[in-house]
């Protein structure tokens, strides 16, 4: 939709002003134009934007919230799920924690990968852990991954205005096997065979789309996740450090860490 | 002193607020608009004009014996209107030198027109085909000296006798960089991982074509302002070949 105002000499402006019942000088008199120009050329228009809000006296991390700008990923395979995350937590340009663990246990065989505000995601994960533990005791059996995901979704949707949290819930339950549910910012929930999240995820959509195949084995999934996370960490300034991986299956949870010098290598530009 | 007839296009939110104004408020609105119009003459472009922009995906890759430069074919206006499904973003600036553009289409066309003229003049003076670096330098001069007004980035790729196949990228502020492969445009964020993983130096023509087509198809699949067909131009010493891969012939991936 376009709204155009035609400035045709002073008369155009005068007509509109006249419609607005404002007193205008006689047509043909330019003194108004001159005085307007002189008075206003020194003014900043309303839409000027300030580019740098902080001055150099205070480092920027004193004014920024702690954020897990991050890359997280989860992949389903036959018999379980593989989840992975980088390990960087930033406060502005300062890396507050370079060995963060973003893979948080919610129950024995259910984990969540956290991205977004570190405070928000920790608080939500704590609340859901409590609710799910209580539910599991009432039920007297292992909770479903879908239940955990629904609890996350309830909280993320209800408090969507206050929260900044993107969460991937993944785990294994006896009824449906390995499952991955994604609950992005805003509070939607959907099940996907492979899901990526966090700021670094934009860079690896192409890689994940082209390399994922249904029916991969556990080792293939681990390699796929490690490579995808490495590529994202190379391009995203808010992701980095080590790659943390976990495999969740009927047998339990196996965790591993891939250190910086052991990350897969790609040809450098 | 007279003002010429001018129209100033205003963004949607401002238009909405304007419609509900009356009397003094309206006069103030017009006055503010007028002030911005005056200030636009000076160095800064507080451009409220959201014209046609190539939300796009462009790439260039060097292979054994030449370069491939490629792009999608969608031009969008705002976030939701596709103003052209079949635009060609690969512009020939000389016999063996092509440019592709990302950003404001108007800015890009103006810059490439100017560059084409300057390059042909330079080539006549030197009495030899121009270097790819010369073409890229001309774009860089234009972008750097007009950085306040322009909103366009370029990839220049081609072949010349001195250094063979080359790719240069001129970014928004006017930086010039040579790279073996490069991607640009809004859709490029989604394929950084893919091109980092899949690029190999000294690929054959078939491998490089597959690489480019796949990368563009993946980006078009994830970016809503990239789409249409894939345009590829293969530049070698011998010839320049333009290949179009229509939508139904694009590679499909696991969820399609």
């Amino acid at each position: 939709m376009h709204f155009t105002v035609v400035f045709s000499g002073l008369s155009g402006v005068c007509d509109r002003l006249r419609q607005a019942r404002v007193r205008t000088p006689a047509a043909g008199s330019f003194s108004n134009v001159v005085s307007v120009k002189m008075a206003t050329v020194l003014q900043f228009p309303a839409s000027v934007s300030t580019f740098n809000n902080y001055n150099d006296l205070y480092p920027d991390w004193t004014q920024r919230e702690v954020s897990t700008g991050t890359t997280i990923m989860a992949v389903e395979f036959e018999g379980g799920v593989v989840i992975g995350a980088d390990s960087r937590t930033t406060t502005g340009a300062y890396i507050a924690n370079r060995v963060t663990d973003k893979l948080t246990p919610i129950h024995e065989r259910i984990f969540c990968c956290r991205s977004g505000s570190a405070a928000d995601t920790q608080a939500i994960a704590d609340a859901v852990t409590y609710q799910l533990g209580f539910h599991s005791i009432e039920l007297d059996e292992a909770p479903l991954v879908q239940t955990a995901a629904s609890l996350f979704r309830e909280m993320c949707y209800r408090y969507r205005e206050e929260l900044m949290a993107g969460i991937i819930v993944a785990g294994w339950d006896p009824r449906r096997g390995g499952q991955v549910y994604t609950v992005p910012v805003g509070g939607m929930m959907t099940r996907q065979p492979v899901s990526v999240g966090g700021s670094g995820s934009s860079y690896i959509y192409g890689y994940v789309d082209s390399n994922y195949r249904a029916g991969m084995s556990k080792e293939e999934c681990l390699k796929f996740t490690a490579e995808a996370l490495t590529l994202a960490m190379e391009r995203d300034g808010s992701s980095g450090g080590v790659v943390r991986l976990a495999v969740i299956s009927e047998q339990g949870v196996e965790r591993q860490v891939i250190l910086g010098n052991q990350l897969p290598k790609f040809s450098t530009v | 002193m007279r003002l010429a007839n001018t129209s100033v296009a205003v963004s949607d939110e401002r238009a909405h607020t304007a419609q509900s104004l009356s009397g003094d408020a309206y006069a103030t609105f017009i006055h503010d608009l007028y002030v911005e119009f005056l200030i636009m003459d000076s160095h800064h472009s507080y451009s409220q004009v959201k014209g046609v922009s190539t939300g796009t995906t462009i790439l260039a890759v060097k292979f054994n014996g030449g370069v491939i430069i490629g792009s999608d074919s969608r031009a969008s206006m705002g976030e939701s209107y596709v103003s052209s499904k079949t635009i060609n973003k690969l512009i020939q600036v000389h016999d063996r030198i092509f440019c592709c553009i990302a950003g404001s289409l108007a800015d890009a066309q103006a810059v490439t027109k100017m560059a084409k003229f300057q390059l042909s003049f330079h080539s006549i003076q030197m009495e030899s085909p121009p270097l790819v670096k010369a073409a890229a330098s001309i774009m860089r001069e234009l972008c750097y000296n007009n950085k306040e007004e322009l909103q366009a980035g370029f990839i220049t790729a081609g072949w010349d006798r001195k250094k063979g196949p080359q790719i240069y990228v001129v970014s928004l502020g006017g930086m010039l960089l040579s790279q073996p492969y490069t991607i640009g445009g809004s859709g490029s964020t989604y394929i950084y991982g893919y091109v980092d993983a899949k690029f190999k130096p000294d690929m054959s023509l078939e491998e490089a074509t597959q690489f480019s087509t796949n990368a563009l198809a993946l980006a078009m699949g994830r970016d809503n302002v990239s789409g249409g067909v894939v345009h590829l131009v293969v530049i070698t010493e011998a010839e320049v070949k333009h290949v179009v891969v229509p939508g139904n012939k694009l590679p499909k991936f696991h969820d399609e």
Side-chain angles (χ1 to χ4, degrees), chain A residues 55-121:
Chain A
N55 61 48
D56 290 327
L57 284 177
Y58 301 99
D60 87 320
W61 51 260
T62 57
Q63 287 154 47
R64 304 289 200 95
E65 193 201 334
V66 175
S67 152
T68 55
T70 187
T71 317
I72 52 178
M73 184 165 164
V75 190
E76 285 176 16
F77 67 92
E78 184 66 50
V81 293
V82 169
I83 57 175
D86 73 305
S87 71
R88 182 174 288 185
T89 310
T90 50
T91 330
Y94 173 65
I95 299 175
N97 185 351
R98 60 188 173 99
V99 286
T100 324
D101 186 6
K102 301 177 190 177
L103 307 175
T104 310
I106 303 294
H107 198 87
E108 210 178 324
R109 284 182 181 68
I110 305 177
F111 269 63
C112 78
C113 314
R114 302 179 290 115
S115 76
S117 152
D120 287 349
T121 52

Side-chain angles (χ1 to χ4, degrees), chain A residues 185-250:
Chain A
V185 169
M188 164 188 99
M189 175 185 72
T190 185
R191 182 176 172 191
Q192 294 179 315
V194 59
S195 183
V196 294
S199 59
S201 67
S202 328
Y203 304 106
I204 50 172
Y205 274 112
Y207 182 80
V208 168
D209 282 345
S210 62
N211 280 61
Y212 172 73
R213 294 174 332 267
M216 288 196 286
S217 69
K218 179 178 98 169
E219 287 69 29
E220 288 175 319
C221 284
L222 280 166
K223 179 163 178 283
F224 171 55
T225 309
E227 288 182 346
L229 289 171
T230 306
L231 288 164
M233 281 155 57
E234 272 176 22
R235 286 289 183 178
D236 181 29
S238 316
S239 303
V242 305
V243 168
R244 292 198 190 274
L245 296 169
V247 182
I248 310 170
S249 62
E250 184 175 5

Side-chain angles (χ1 to χ4, degrees), chain B residues 4-40:
Chain B
N5 277 356
T6 331
S7 23
V8 177
V10 182
S11 70
D12 282 359
E13 317 85 70
R14 278 184 115 187
H16 273 300
T17 49
Q19 307 232 299
S20 57
L21 294 177
S22 63
D24 283 352
Y26 189 84
T28 317
F29 173 83
I30 297 294
H31 171 257
D32 284 343
L33 211 55
Y34 183 50
V35 163
E36 284 194 38
F37 172 66
L38 292 175
I39 300 244
M40 269 206 274

Side-chain angles (χ1 to χ4, degrees), chain B residues 226-244:
Chain B
S226 300
V229 304
V230 165
H231 286 291
L232 295 176
V233 170
V234 181
I235 308 169
T236 53
E237 176 176 7
E239 58 166 4
V240 164
K241 203 164 59 147
H242 190 159
V243 178
V244 176

Side-chain angles (χ1 to χ4, degrees), chain A residues 1 7-8 16 202-203 206 209, chain B residues 4-5 12 26 189-190 193 222:
Chain A
M1 184 178 114
F7 289 115
S8 52
R16 292 302 259 164
S202 328
Y203 304 106
D209 282 345
Chain B
N5 277 356
D12 282 359
Y26 189 84
T189 39
Y190 305 107
R222 285 288 182 179

Side-chain angles (χ1 to χ4, degrees), chain B residues 19-88:
Chain B
Q19 307 232 299
S20 57
L21 294 177
S22 63
D24 283 352
Y26 189 84
T28 317
F29 173 83
I30 297 294
H31 171 257
D32 284 343
L33 211 55
Y34 183 50
V35 163
E36 284 194 38
F37 172 66
L38 292 175
I39 300 244
M40 269 206 274
D41 285 339
S42 72
H43 222 44
H44 304 282
S45 82
Y46 294 106
S47 178
Q48 304 273 347
V49 179
K50 289 240 182 309
V52 178
S53 154
T54 56
T56 185
T57 315
I58 51 179
L59 64 71
V61 60
K62 224 189 315 193
F63 66 92
N64 199 357
V67 295
I68 294 184
I69 190 168
S71 78
D72 70 312
S73 71
R74 180 174 289 185
S76 54
M77 207 136 97
E79 299 297 315
S80 55
Y81 179 64
V82 176
S83 53
S84 171
K85 292 186 282 189
T86 51
I87 190 175
N88 189 7

